[in-house]
Amino acid sequence: MLNLNDITVRLGGRTILDGATAKLPPRGRIGLIGRNGAGKTTLVKVISGHIEPDTGSIDMPKGARLGYLEQEAPHGISTPFETVLAADVERATLMAESETSEDPDRLGALYERLMAIDAYTAPSRAAQILVGLGFDEEMQHQPLDSFSGGWKMRVALAGLLFSQPDVLLLDEPSNHLDLEAVLWLEDFLKSYPATILLVSHERDFLNNVVDYTLHLGGGKLTLYPGGYDAFERQRAERQAQIASAREKQQAQREHLQAYIAKNSARASTAKQAQSRVKALAKMQPIAELHDDPSLTFDFPNPDELRPPLITLDYASVGYTDTPILKKLNLRLDPDDRMALLGRNGNGKTTLARLLAAQLAPMDGAMTASGKMRVGYFTQYQVEELDRDETPLQHMTALMKGASQSAVRAQLGRFGFQAQKATTQVGKLSGGEKARLALALITRDAPHLLILDEPTNHLDVDAREALIQALNDYSGAVVIVSHDRHMLEMTADRLVLVDSGTASDFDGSLDDYIAFVLSKDGAGPKLSKADKKEARRLAAEAREAGTELRKAAKQAEADLAKLNEQRRAVDQAMADPSTAEPSLAKLSMSDLMKRRGELGAKIEAAELVWMEASEALETLAA
């Protein structure tokens, strides 16, 4: 059992955790979720002992071993294999002592303990974990310093998994992984024999791994049974209940206020009015569940171009004199939604850079529309933003000659309005920086968007907003992502980058996952006719989803407007002297008639919203 007792943490004058309390089930797999900046990493660091809370405590079983993935990657001349083996400190210590001890009794105890912890199968287990995370035999025995930072973090993750702590803390473990490694990690965690607390923003990953969802919002913790989809349903029900309670309370409050205003001056009713003043004072406001209005993505649509946008004819591409990909025969049209699949290191980014004209073909031919504009997003753009400049300064520098209103309009498409536009980049969250990078690359309404891992800094809600924006966007999209939900909802064409080339994958994303997980690598195949039909259906589903989202959004706006009109009528009925001019002159019977008409319209709008929402859920399923 892991208990979090009234945890409060204040950083930089701001309260991050405010009496956060939760009792986590033993051997549970718990997904910790919340908006960017909610304090998830802070909570994990409190549990791991890296941050001391201002108040509160953490209860864990005595002697329980806690494992936490450090942010600093391992380095040096040791190999990944050696580093992972060394991560089990007890095994490494006992093995070293067994090689030097000459005491027969001590040696007996050492060998007994080594057998108990399965020490002699450790090399095989370490190798299996490394293979699962993408290290082949040769890579396992190269020096750590020969790898990039992302691959070093994979070694750190492998070491943590190998050490098998009793409480495993994972903060966004998939950020440095490709889809293939994510699938392996998911399978590994599903059978992990101890407690897991997992921070992730990947819907499918959470649904497939966790059996509890711990939501952090407003500094408080709430535990829900089930994965992310189950949490979302329960959260929606709770929001509806709170909204209903708030509406009832507001109506009661307005009724009391109207009575007090009307009867306070009368001697005969003064006491009753005074009692209502006391009732009003005791009425505690019901907290609202806030959505983030700045959670916005809105890609400007380009002017139309005739197909194809790009054609590759037996093209080769690589670096210096070494080709990475050869015999590329691909065509990209203005309405294509293409996902690049394949393990990291196979050449997905190389192909993306070729399509973005950042690399020239070494051999063969590449033709592209002369009028085509390309927006290319990478994590490097996020990291290279000037911390001391504001979004407004960044956008102004790129939109040379544009008016301030045009610059601010482009920033506003991505949620940078008013104060956010003039906030230094160094003070923005990771998700906000990603949104800024997307705003910058789409300033000229590109015909082709190339997105290389665009979701790494985005929470679940931001990812949903990005999906909606991509589906509303009329240009072509090429995406590299390990987020299956993102790929399923935005791509209708899969291209596998493997074995030194790239070609269309005949099947769905589920087929590809089966292909990856199958031992012999043989996944189900579709005929060309079936593949064409699957792409057509996916495109229709995406278009239908766009229309349904628009209908739901319009219904929400209509509901808000109609409810406001009904409140105005209620106010006119309670106290005509404070009513709107157009309502003050109406008789009580006319007001009642107006209220009935509004009620019917509200029911109709609610029905439209419910039908659109249910249809969207069905479409997503």
Side-chain angles (χ1 to χ4, degrees):
M1 180 76 74
L2 177 63
N3 293 337
L4 313 177
N5 306 311
D6 200 29
I7 306 295
T8 297
V9 175
R10 300 179 185 87
L11 298 173
R14 186 166 72 95
T15 300
I16 307 298
L17 302 175
D18 186 10
T21 299
K23 292 185 177 181
L24 306 184
R27 300 171 71 90
R29 298 190 298 273
I30 301 106
L32 176 58
I33 66 170
R35 287 279 175 84
N36 284 339
K40 301 183 296 297
T41 296
T42 299
L43 179 61
V44 170
K45 287 185 176 180
V46 169
I47 297 171
S48 67
H50 288 72
I51 292 179
E52 187 72 24
D54 293 282
T55 62
S57 62
I58 306 290
D59 294 336
M60 275 195 301
K62 188 176 180 180
R65 293 181 303 114
L66 187 146
Y68 172 58
L69 185 61
E70 300 287 352
Q71 296 300 311
E72 186 176 347
H75 58 88
I77 60 172
S78 296
T79 66
F81 183 75
E82 292 167 342
T83 303
V84 171
L85 280 179
D88 189 339
V89 177
E90 181 186 13
R91 176 189 178 278
T93 302
L94 294 176
M95 291 291 286
E97 187 179 353
S98 69
E99 293 175 0
T100 58
S101 177
E102 297 181 356
D103 182 346
D105 293 334
R106 178 57 182 161
L107 280 172
L110 288 171
Y111 292 139
E112 185 176 347
R113 180 56 183 165
L114 286 168
M115 291 289 289
I117 63 174
D118 212 12
Y120 298 106
T121 64
S124 174
R125 287 187 285 113
Q128 288 175 358
I129 291 173
L130 284 166
V131 168
L133 292 177
F135 292 86
D136 60 25
E137 178 69 23
E138 182 181 350
M139 293 172 69
Q140 290 182 32
H141 300 288
Q142 293 175 356
L144 283 173
D145 284 347
S146 66
F147 294 98
S148 67
W151 283 97
K152 289 178 182 177
M153 288 305 299
R154 291 195 190 202
V155 175
L157 175 60
L160 179 61
L161 298 178
F162 174 76
S163 67
Q164 287 195 329
D166 302 306
V167 178
L168 178 61
L169 303 179
L170 296 173
D171 191 351
E172 291 284 4
S174 62
N175 267 3
H176 301 286
L177 306 181
D178 50 33
L179 176 57
E180 291 75 7
V182 170
L183 292 172
W184 176 88
L185 178 62
E186 182 181 289
D187 192 58
F188 183 93
L189 295 179
K190 282 192 289 189
S191 59
Y192 192 75
T195 300
I196 301 172
L197 184 63
L198 165 69
V199 179
S200 179
H201 294 303
E202 292 188 35
R203 179 188 294 264
D204 286 356
F205 192 56
L206 289 167
N207 281 332
N208 293 332
V209 171
V210 308
D211 42 30
Y212 295 90
T213 300
L214 185 63
H215 179 255
L216 176 58
K220 306 290 187 182
L221 290 168
T222 307
L223 187 66
Y224 296 84
Y228 186 83
D229 285 351
F231 154 77
E232 203 169 51
R233 286 193 297 270
Q234 295 170 77
R235 177 79 165 167
E237 291 168 3
R238 185 176 170 218
Q239 283 179 316
Q241 292 167 357
I242 288 176
S244 177
R246 280 177 59 83
E247 187 173 344
K248 290 178 181 177
Q249 186 188 68
Q250 183 61 24
Q252 185 181 2
R253 183 184 294 275
E254 290 172 357
H255 178 74
L256 289 172
Q257 288 172 334
Y259 186 92
I260 293 165
K262 189 174 182 180
N263 296 284
S264 293
R266 299 179 186 176
S268 60
T269 57
K271 287 186 177 180
Q272 292 92 328
Q274 190 60 35
S275 69
R276 283 162 173 76
V277 170
K278 292 179 181 178
L280 190 63
K282 291 179 180 179
M283 192 179 291
Q284 295 296 319
I286 297 172
E288 187 175 7
L289 294 176
H290 290 287
D291 287 325
D292 184 357
S294 67
L295 201 70
T296 305
F297 297 90
D298 182 12
F299 299 112
N301 287 321
D303 51 303
E304 291 187 13
L305 289 180
R306 295 178 62 183
L309 291 181
I310 298 174
T311 302
L312 299 177
D313 187 13
Y314 283 93
S316 298
V317 63
Y319 305 91
T320 60
D321 296 326
T322 306
I324 303 297
L325 300 172
K326 301 177 181 178
K327 299 181 179 178
L328 296 171
N329 291 295
L330 292 173
R331 168 177 166 149
L332 188 67
D333 288 335
D335 61 346
D336 265 331
R337 302 300 172 101
M338 178 192 294
L340 302 184
L341 306 176
R343 279 198 174 276
N344 283 357
N346 281 4
K348 297 191 299 292
T349 296
T350 301
L351 177 54
R353 293 188 65 190
L354 174 65
L355 297 175
Q358 291 192 358
L359 292 175
M362 293 178 167
D363 197 6
M366 172 178 169
T367 57
S369 173
K371 297 180 179 179
M372 180 180 64
R373 298 183 297 274
V374 178
Y376 182 34
F377 173 91
T378 71
Q379 290 301 317
Y380 297 111
Q381 292 165 324
V382 177
E383 295 163 4
E384 291 171 359
L385 292 169
D386 191 327
R387 294 175 53 84
D388 297 325
E389 290 194 353
T390 67
L392 184 59
Q393 289 172 316
H394 277 88
M395 191 64 73
T396 301
L398 290 177
M399 294 181 66
K400 298 184 186 301
S403 65
Q404 275 291 293
S405 60
V407 171
R408 284 187 174 273
Q410 174 63 9
L411 287 170
R413 286 176 172 273
F414 293 81
F416 292 98
Q417 291 142 343
Q419 187 178 348
K420 276 293 182 185
T422 55
T423 300
Q424 285 185 325
V425 167
K427 296 179 180 179
L428 299 178
S429 68
E432 288 169 333
K433 292 174 185 175
R435 272 196 282 132
L436 175 56
L438 287 166
L440 295 173
I441 67 163
T442 59
R443 65 191 182 278
D444 58 355
H447 300 90
L448 168 62
L449 272 179
I450 302 175
L451 307 178
D452 194 343
E453 295 292 358
T455 63
N456 275 0
H457 297 286
L458 302 181
D459 59 36
V460 180
D461 293 325
R463 293 179 189 212
E464 290 298 329
L466 177 57
I467 288 170
Q468 181 173 337
L470 287 173
N471 287 336
D472 290 340
Y473 169 66
S474 64
V477 176
V478 174
I479 186 168
V480 179
S481 178
H482 59 262
D483 187 324
R484 278 161 286 173
H485 183 65
M486 170 71 66
L487 297 179
E488 287 169 344
M489 297 301 291
T490 59
D492 51 36
R493 180 182 176 189
L494 306 179
V495 171
L496 178 58
V497 183
D498 191 25
S499 303
T501 190
S503 58
D504 284 284
F505 180 79
D506 292 335
S508 67
L509 189 61
D510 285 341
D511 296 329
Y512 178 70
I513 291 171
F515 169 80
V516 171
L517 295 178
S518 61
K519 292 181 180 179
D520 59 2
K525 298 288 184 180
L526 294 180
S527 67
K528 288 186 177 180
D530 289 338
K531 175 189 162 188
K532 184 177 180 180
E533 177 66 9
R535 288 181 60 191
R536 183 187 67 78
L537 291 173
E540 287 182 358
R542 189 175 66 246
E543 184 177 350
T546 299
E547 294 302 317
L548 287 169
R549 278 187 290 273
K550 288 180 180 178
K553 190 174 181 180
Q554 183 59 51
E556 286 179 4
D558 291 343
L559 278 171
K561 185 177 179 180
L562 290 167
N563 278 312
E564 184 61 34
Q565 291 175 359
R566 186 166 66 175
R567 278 193 287 270
V569 171
D570 289 341
Q571 180 65 29
M573 293 171 66
D575 187 359
S577 65
T578 61
E580 296 177 2
S582 62
L583 298 174
K585 59 186 179 183
L586 297 179
S587 65
M588 183 60 70
S589 61
D590 287 339
L591 287 171
M592 292 178 67
K593 182 180 178 183
R594 175 72 63 86
R595 194 181 195 284
E597 292 171 349
L598 289 170
K601 290 180 179 179
I602 287 171
E603 287 184 8
E606 285 177 341
L607 181 61
V608 171
W609 179 84
M610 288 176 63
E611 288 178 346
S613 299
E614 289 174 0
L616 277 170
E617 287 183 8
T618 302
L619 193 64

